[in-house]
């Protein structure tokens, strides 16, 4: 969708209203009844219509030209085909054996057909101008970037040096050729023939040296500036040409939008098409068709003339339209039965001649002053690649085995990375979620602590039995042994520590008796049990965070895969998230450009936009609509299009348009 299609549909709807009002003016004669009744099955009425085929053909072509179809703008070739089918290029007055009312009805259909074709041509011209104007901004920004850096300027000089050398050599050759032809023409034929057989090449070589000498002297006087300065001057000249071309195209768009196809029909007031107003409106819109066709023709003829400025272009177009002989004849009010045929002939001429010629000239200017071609910009690395391709191929052949080994190692590395850092950690995470025993994290075995604790209990009980600490020295009973066993489970080794303290007073005796060494070994076992208890706590903590550790092990592989995929996506194509970020930045710049156009126009003191500013605004809005497409939800997108349509409505004034820009900024900031 674009503003061109919206404008075409709006004008086409006005023409449809004119068709309905025109049909209501004529009684249903047998011919008109048969032609207008699309569902009639009465063959007797159709037999009465001698010119039914003509009217049916016109109605079918009008239906094909309707913008309500799936393709609002038809191709140029399709329009030419429909013009040929209509038969309006043949200046015939029609059948003479039909009644006057039917003849007028056929004339109304012909005028409606001319209007439909004019709307399509109008849309094609606008669409062509917009498509030619929008890319010029990229080339202008390219020259800004090149001019902003001496390194880029030097690189451009190197890139274009073969073209400069070719142009210089061609100039030398052409100059020497002209001198040789002039010298031959001064001699008689016999001398010329003898020279052609013997000394022609020597003479031409001398003329080439003379041309080189003259060109060197001329360049010595002209090249006072450095080569980089000359290149910068050339780039500024190309940039200025692009700016003039963009301004001229924008002015042409503004002229067509403001002055073209104003049918003087109120879109909401049906009273304008009733009674006497209907006849007035019919005369006005028929005259408007002729004037609009002349306007489109003059815009196409002058829009690529960069020698004149925007003001001169606009004055030339309007003066040419006012002096157009056919426009003057139409405005005179004289009855001309061949008026539709005359207009269709001009429309066919526009389609066949003016539009292709304008597109060719515009593309030629953009190509001459635009960004250099890919071949010019990359000839140096391409030449180096071709020059060293033999060496590269030779190295590749000699190191074939090593290269194959690198490829196999790379393949094995990728496979091992995938299985060891993606598949296996993922399996462990899934096993943890499912409480798989094989995936549990453990620092020590489950039965290790219980065995060491039971061993410590037995050692302490045996030591307490062998060394009772009772007052009468009697052995411990079952009750005392149970108390000792319970204290050991709580970590209390009092019997052992009492004996250990006693043996420390006489360490030699305790050592000989063995109790001191036994007490030390029991304390070593106690230390081992304490360490295992601490490890058991750590083991429980790890088990409680087992899923976290599983994801931690899986994260590095996922990050590496994401990084590689993002790099590949950026190298081979844009990812949706990147595209959305690029679009959002572009929308901000477009809103800035729209605000700048409106602000500059407001500073100039005019209440309305000029034709050039209107064209620039429409181009920026067109890019904004294309960029925002797909970024907004359905209902929000419809509201956005309403605001955009209000923005391009110049009748609201510049201040109101600036307010609309601010409304777009804050209303759609969430998406744009």
């Amino acid at each position: 969708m674009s503003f061109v299609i919206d404008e075409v549909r709006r004008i086409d709807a006005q023409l449809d209203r004119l068709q309905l009002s025109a049909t209501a003016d004529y009684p249903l004669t047998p011919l008109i009844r048969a032609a207008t009744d699309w569902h009639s099955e009465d063959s007797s009425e159709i037999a009465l219509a001698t010119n039914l085929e003509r009217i049916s053909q016109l109605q079918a072509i009008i239906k094909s030209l309707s913008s309500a179809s799936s393709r609002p703008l038809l191709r140029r070739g399709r329009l030419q085909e429909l013009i040929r089918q209509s038969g309006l290029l043949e200046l015939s007055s029609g059948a003479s054996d039909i009644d006057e009312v039917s003849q007028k009805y056929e004339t109304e259909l012909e005028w409606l057909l001319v209007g439909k074709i004019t709307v399509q041509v109008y849309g094609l011209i606008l669409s062509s101008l917009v498509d030619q104007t929008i890319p010029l901004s990229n080339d202008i920004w390219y020259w800004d970037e090149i001019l902003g850096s001496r390194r880029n300027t030097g690189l451009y000089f190197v890139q274009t040096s073969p073209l400069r050398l070719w142009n210089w050599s061609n100039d030398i050759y052409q100059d020497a050729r002209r001198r040789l032809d002039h010298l031959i023409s001064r001699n008689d034929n016999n001398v010329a023939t003898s020279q052609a057989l013997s000394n022609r090449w020597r003479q031409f070589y001398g003329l080439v040296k003379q041309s080189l000498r003259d060109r060197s002297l001329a360049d010595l006087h002209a090249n006072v500036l450095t080569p980089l300065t000359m290149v910068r001057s050339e780039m500024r000249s190309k940039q200025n040409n692009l700016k003039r071309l963009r301004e001229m195209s924008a002015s042409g768009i503004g002229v067509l939008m403001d002055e073209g196809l104003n049918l003087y029909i109120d879109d909401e007031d049906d009273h304008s098409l009733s009674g006497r107003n209907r006849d007035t409106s019919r005369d006005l819109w028929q005259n408007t068709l002729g004037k609009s066709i002349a306007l489109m023709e003059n815009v196409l003829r002058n829009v690529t003339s960069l020698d004149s400025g925007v003001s001169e272009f606009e004055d030339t177009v309007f003066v040419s339209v006012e002096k157009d002989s056919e426009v003057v004849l139409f405005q005179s009010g004289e009855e001309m039965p061949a008026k539709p045929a005359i207009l269709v002939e001009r429309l066919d001429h526009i389609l066949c001649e003016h539009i292709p010629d304008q597109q060719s000239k515009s593309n030629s200017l953009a190509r001459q002053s635009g960004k250099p071609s890919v071949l010019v910009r990359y000839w140096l690395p391409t030449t180096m690649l071709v020059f060293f391709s033999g060496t590269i191929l030779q190295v590749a052949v000699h190191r074939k085995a090593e290269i194959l080994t690198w490829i196999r190692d790379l393949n094995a590395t990728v496979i091992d990375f995938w299985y060891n850092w993606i598949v296996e950690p993922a399996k462990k995470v899934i096993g943890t979620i499912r409480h798989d025993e094989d995936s549990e994290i453990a620092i020590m075995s489950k039965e290790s602590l219980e065995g060491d604790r039971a061993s410590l209990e037995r050692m302490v009980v045996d030591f307490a039995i062998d060394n009772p600490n009772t007052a009468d020295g009697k052995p411990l009973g079952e009750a005392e042994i149970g108390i000792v066993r319970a204290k050991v489970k709580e970590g209390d080794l009092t019997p052992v520590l009492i004996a250990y303290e006693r043996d420390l007073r006489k360490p030699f005796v305790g050592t000989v008796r063995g109790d001191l060494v036994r007490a030390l070994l029991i304390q070593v076992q106690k230390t081992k049990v304490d360490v295992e208890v601490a490890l058991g706590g750590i083991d429980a903590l790890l088990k409680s965070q087992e899923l976290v550790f599983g994801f931690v092990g899986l994260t590095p592989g996922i990050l590496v895969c994401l990084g590689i995929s993002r790099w590949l996506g950026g190298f081979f194509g844009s990812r949706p998230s990147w595209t959305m970020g690029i679009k959002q930045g572009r929308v901000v710049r477009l809103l800035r450009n729209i605000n700048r156009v409106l602000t500059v126009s407001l500073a100039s003191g005019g209440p309305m936009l000029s034709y050039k500013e209107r064209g620039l605004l429409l181009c920026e809005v067109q890019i904004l609509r294309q960029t925002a497409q797909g970024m907004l939800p359905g209902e929000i997108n419809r509201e956005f299009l309403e605001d955009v349509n209000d923005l391009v409505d110049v009748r609201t004034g510049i201040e109101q348009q600036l307010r609309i820009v601010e409304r777009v900024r804050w209303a759609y900031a969430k998406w744009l």
Side-chain angles (χ1 to χ4, degrees), residues 6-67:
D6 294 340
E7 185 72 9
V8 168
R9 285 177 172 171
R10 183 185 67 82
I11 301 174
D12 192 75
Q14 292 179 349
L15 290 176
D16 291 337
R17 295 177 64 200
L18 285 170
Q19 179 190 17
L20 295 176
S21 65
T23 306
D25 285 345
Y26 304 105
L28 288 179
T29 64
L31 175 60
I32 297 177
R33 186 183 298 112
T36 56
D37 188 5
W38 292 92
H39 304 285
S40 177
E41 297 178 358
D42 191 353
S43 59
S44 62
E45 292 185 357
I46 300 177
L48 295 175
T50 57
N51 203 27
L52 175 60
E53 183 180 358
R54 170 65 176 166
I55 293 180
S56 300
Q57 183 184 27
L58 292 176
Q59 289 177 339
I61 296 175
I62 291 172
K63 187 176 180 181
S64 301
L65 290 169
S66 177
S67 63

Side-chain angles (χ1 to χ4, degrees), residues 1 13 16 27-28 49 59 109 123 136-137 179 216 271 309 474 550-551 570 572 611 614:
M1 289 293 292
D16 291 337
L28 288 179
Q59 289 177 339
L109 288 179
L136 296 178
S137 299
R179 294 187 182 189
S216 300
H271 180 69
K474 293 181 179 181
F551 278 109
F572 294 104
Y611 295 125
R614 176 83 189 280

Side-chain angles (χ1 to χ4, degrees), residues 62 75 273 317 615:
I62 291 172
R75 293 178 290 105
L273 296 176
V317 169

